[in-house]
Amino acid sequence: MFQRKNILLGSRYIILLIYSIIFNLTFNLQVFSDTNNIDEKYAELYVLDKVSSKSTRIIFDVGKEIIFQNLSITILKCRNSKFDDDPEVTAFIQVIDLNNKNNDKVFVFNDWTFASSPSIRPFDHPVYDIWLKKCYS
């Protein structure tokens, strides 16, 4: 009889534990969801021409295409993280080389880039180098 009471108490404890885990997971997913990143309206990029060693600052409206020399640059998303003391600036950038007539490779670069460490997703082009500086509203 004594063991049966312990089994009932243990099963109630396990059910309570499962409910608390489910509650915590749903709460944490809402807190750390994608809504904690702030989508910005403007982005600032620097473009380095490796041939002339000239650096150019370009300010973008997010979602609009800009033609720079023979590159078509579009920033689809630009975000600042919300919870950091030193927020991480990330942007989704698409770059098309307009001189390239090869239809097999559409984008020269089509990925997320990080302002703090651009070498994680490097932009590889023989003439130009692009790096993200900041995003703002």
Side-chain angles (χ1 to χ4, degrees), residues 47 49 72 87 89 96:
V47 180
D49 186 349
S72 169
V89 180
I96 300 172

Side-chain angles (χ1 to χ4, degrees), residues 55-72:
S55 178
T56 306
R57 184 182 110 181
I58 303 173
I59 297 175
F60 284 83
D61 289 336
V62 174
K64 294 188 179 177
E65 177 184 20
I66 288 185
I67 305 295
F68 177 80
Q69 303 290 332
N70 58 348
L71 296 178
S72 169

